[in-house]
Structure formats: C-alpha cells, structure tokens
Amino acid sequence: MPKRIEVGILGATGMVGQQFINQLAGHPWFEPVWLAASERSEGKRFADAAPWRLDTELPEGIADRTVESAAPGAGPRLVFSALDASVAGELEQAFADAGHLVVSNSRNHRMTPTVPLLVPEINADHLSLLSAQARLRGGKGAIVTNPNCSTAVLTMALAPLRPFGLRSCLVTTMQAVSGAGYPGVASLDILGNVIPFISGEEEKIESETRKILGTLAGDAVEPHPLRVSAHTNRVPVIDGHTETVSVALDQRPSFAELRAAFEAFAGVPQQLGLPSAPQPPVRYLDQPGRPQPRFDAGRGRGMTVSVGRLRPCPVLDWKFVVLGHNTVRGAAGAAVLNAELMQAQGLLE
Ligand SMILES: NC(=O)c1ccc[n+]([C@@H]2O[C@H](COP(=O)([O-])OP(=O)(O)OC[C@H]3O[C@@H](n4cnc5c(N)ncnc54)[C@H](OP(=O)(O)O)[C@@H]3O)[C@@H](O)[C@H]2O)c1
C-alpha cells in the first residue's frame, strides 16, 4: 500500500468524531494520526476520555492514543472537524489561517460565499471556490464543508429530479437522536415521544439545499431558485433520518421516468471510483413500507440514500420518502468523501 496521508480529527471524542475514526479505519488513502478535543479530554487516553459509542469495534491503536489540545498549527495539514458548533467558527478559521485544510461538518462556515458546501455527487464543481478562498487567505489553508445531516439526505433525493425543473419542495423530517450528539436529548424527553422542534434546523435545510443545488457564478454560488419549506422533528430512532418530501416540478414526468432518474443517478465520486463512493448513491425501494431506519440506514456502508413510496401529490406534483444515515452520509462519511474528491483533484498536495 502506498504511504497514506496523515490526517487529524478535531472533536474526535464526539458522536461524529467517533464516526470519523470508524470511517478512516483501514482507509486506503488517509491515516488518522492526531485526535483532538476540548480541555475536558486533553491529555487523557482516548478510551478514558470517550467511551466508544458505535456498534463496531474500536479500531486498533486508538484506545491508547492521547487526546491532544485543539491548537491551530499542531497536527497534520489535513484535519477533519467534528467540533461543537459553539467553538467551530473561530477554531476552524484559526486552523485554516495556520495553513490547515479543514474538512468540516459544522454549520459555521457553510454559507460563507467562498466556502464550498459539497455533496460530491451533486456539485463537485463547487470545489473551484477554493481558488477564491486561497486569494482571500493568501494561499495557505482552506475550509470545505458538508451540509447539515437532513440537508445531505434531502439533496441526494432532489438532485436526480433537477432535469425535470425543481420548483418547490415541502419536507418533513423525522430525525434520529444521534443527530443531537452525545449525550444529546434526555431520554425522558424523547422515549415514546416526538419533539417538533430542532433549533436552527429548518433554516439550515431551506438555505443549504439551494446553495448545494446552485450554480457557480464567479467567486460564489448562485442559489437554485427552488423554494423549500421544512418541518423538523426529533424522533426516538438511534441512527437514520427519514424525510417525507413533496415536490412541484416544471415538467410532467411519469412515475417510470422519475423512478429511473433516482436509479440512474450517479456523479463524480462514482466515475472516479473514490474509496467511499457508494454504488449506487441512491437506491429506489419498491416495497410499500420502506425505507425504514432499522433496515435501510446502513445501506452502502451508510453512504447510500434510500428512496421509496413515490406517488402523485394532490397539492404539489409528486411525493416520496427518503432516508439516509445521519452520522455517515450526513456527517463523517460525507466529509471523508469530500477529502477523497480533493485528493483526486490534486488539492491535497
Ligand atoms: N450528529 C450528527 O448527526 C451531525 C450531523 C451533521 C453535522 N453535525 C455537526 O458536527 C459537529 C459535531 O457534532 P456531534 O454530534 O459529534 O457533537 P458532540 O458529540 O457533542 O461532540 C462535540 C465534539 O466537540 C469537542 N469540543 C467541544 N468544545 C470544544 C473546544 N472548546 N475545543 C475543542 N473541542 C471541543 C468535544 O470534545 P469533548 O468530548 O472533549 O467535550 C467533542 O469531541 C457539530 O457541529 C454538529 O452540528 C452533526
């Protein structure tokens, strides 16, 4: 195996940080050598700082690694960030200013005009915003982001419909508790219950979706004209965000044409054969009761999004259900795919 690129993880002890460790275990291109978190964890063995909360084995060599201070300039050039949003804004900026390439999950820089908000199957071309960022920053570091977890899932289902003219979209989410990090939502609040409010989530879905589906215009992205209205709910599911979606389209495609569009959807990651690229990226399920988080969230090692229940909508034009793994396709797996695209385009050299 050729020498792998050393990478760091900021916020390695959290829900998404652990998913990064999981995604990078045995990765053919990247080797996690530096794990950083808050002062609470700094200096401790990883296993003492953060009990492993995934249903996989803790990858070899991680338990005894010392959790480092999240100090800009320390650690490898390429860092994945799973920092809490309360600190990610300033810290990621400081890492980029110190020359790091920050591949982030946090919301803080997603809507900055020169920061790519990437879903590589949909808008790989938005990576060229990095040249505008380099001019502003003096050519040193950079920040690249992936969307909010529900937006990641939604856009994977909307992108195949772009050729039919996306006009408006109504989405209602049923979001897993792992999306709230650890310890997240108190069990007494969520067990046997639904919470119809997730702070800031609806605004993120409504704005990020339009940037992701938008087109490059100089040093920024012209948002897609699609109108999006989101209702967000937290439900007692561990992993996997389910979303019911109604769309209005400019054209009048048939059921068969829409189903075929979901099935045929692929992008640059599949063409390049990137290590984390799922095959297929979108799977259409014909069974009437699917997709379901328990059976479908892990599809394609968490990177394939499942769509089902496509049918006419009496208010808009068509409606369907989409489901994706929130900490993989909606977070760590998405960021690893972003870094793979950067490597394939020679941007990590
Ligand atoms: N969970 C999801 O499905 C999901 C999906 C998409 C995006 N995101 C975003 O990804 C980020 C991480 O989410 P999460 O769910 O993994 O949260 P989390 O479980 O609460 O983890 C937060 C991480 O940030 C670290 N941290 C907090 N304050 C810090 C500081 N001052 N300096 C350095 N590190 C600090 C924590 O370290 P300690 O353990 O030492 O406190 C921990 O490693 C958030 O911005 C979130 O919005 C999450």
Side-chain angles (χ1 to χ4, degrees):
M1 192 193 289
K3 190 165 164 22
R4 295 190 289 165
I5 298 167
E6 295 192 342
V7 303
I9 303 172
L10 287 165
T13 49
M15 267 327 286
V16 175
Q18 297 198 2
Q19 194 58 263
F20 267 123
I21 292 172
N22 196 40
Q23 297 288 314
L24 292 169
H27 192 282
W29 298 356
F30 304 132
E31 182 183 10
V33 297
W34 186 80
L35 309 177
S38 76
E39 283 176 358
R40 187 191 68 76
S41 311
E42 190 186 319
K44 293 184 184 165
R45 285 171 72 240
F46 180 87
D48 295 335
W52 189 244
R53 297 193 182 92
L54 303 186
D55 59 5
T56 53
E57 288 288 324
L58 174 64
E60 218 173 298
I62 298 293
D64 289 329
R65 193 160 287 164
T66 303
V67 179
E68 309 284 345
S69 155
R77 181 158 179 257
L78 175 61
V79 289
F80 291 101
S81 169
L83 287 171
D84 189 82
S86 61
V87 295
E90 279 183 29
L91 259 180
E92 291 178 354
Q93 187 68 50
F95 269 79
D97 289 344
H100 295 272
L101 298 173
V102 182
V103 180
S104 168
N105 268 290
S106 301
R107 66 164 186 260
N108 310 63
H109 298 288
R110 288 181 191 143
M111 297 307 290
T112 302
T114 56
V115 171
L117 176 55
L118 282 185
V119 179
E121 282 89 348
I122 302 174
N123 62 358
D125 59 320
H126 291 195
L127 251 189
S128 66
L129 289 174
L130 286 185
S131 52
Q133 221 185 107
R135 281 200 300 282
L136 289 175
R137 212 186 287 284
K140 287 168 77 191
I143 301 175
V144 168
T145 59
N146 56 261
N148 154 276
C149 38
S150 358
T151 309
V153 173
L154 175 67
T155 51
M156 286 295 286
L158 291 180
L161 309 183
R162 259 193 304 199
F164 305 109
L166 287 166
R167 198 146 25 94
S168 49
C169 160
L170 241 174
V171 55
T172 299
T173 69
M174 288 154 274
Q175 301 185 212
V177 287
S178 59
Y182 191 87
V185 190
S187 55
L188 273 180
D189 287 339
I190 194 68
L191 286 176
N193 202 14
V194 169
I195 301 173
F197 174 68
I198 302 174
S199 180
E201 195 81 352
E202 292 169 357
E203 294 82 352
K204 281 185 254 175
I205 296 174
E206 291 168 6
S207 57
E208 292 177 16
T209 298
R210 298 184 59 222
K211 180 171 178 181
I212 293 162
L213 295 170
T215 45
L216 272 178
D219 288 350
V221 171
E222 178 67 33
H224 193 287
L226 168 76
R227 292 193 310 153
V228 184
S229 173
H231 302 259
T232 56
N233 305 283
R234 187 76 67 195
V235 298
V237 161
I238 296 173
D239 289 318
H241 289 357
T242 307
E243 307 179 14
T244 55
V245 184
S246 284
V247 287
L249 303 169
D250 291 332
Q251 297 177 22
R252 293 281 163 265
S254 64
F255 173 92
E257 286 170 320
L258 289 168
R259 189 189 182 287
F262 286 127
E263 291 270 280
F265 182 69
V268 174
Q270 286 70 33
Q271 285 153 19
L272 296 176
L274 298 181
S276 302
Q279 201 62 264
V282 177
R283 173 84 194 277
Y284 188 85
L285 302 172
D286 287 303
Q287 300 95 312
R290 301 284 281 275
Q292 293 180 19
R294 193 183 301 160
F295 302 122
D296 302 310
R299 196 176 289 283
R301 291 171 48 242
M303 288 297 282
T304 293
V305 161
S306 300
V307 175
R309 301 213 60 226
L310 175 65
R311 62 220 190 275
C313 171
V315 177
L316 300 183
D317 294 326
W318 288 92
K319 54 186 176 179
F320 57 86
V321 182
V322 59
L323 164 78
H325 198 299
N326 52 296
T327 63
V328 183
R329 176 46 90 166
V336 171
L337 190 62
N338 285 351
E340 290 170 1
L341 179 68
M342 292 168 78
Q343 167 66 2
Q345 297 195 353
L347 295 167
L348 299 185
E349 279 142 29

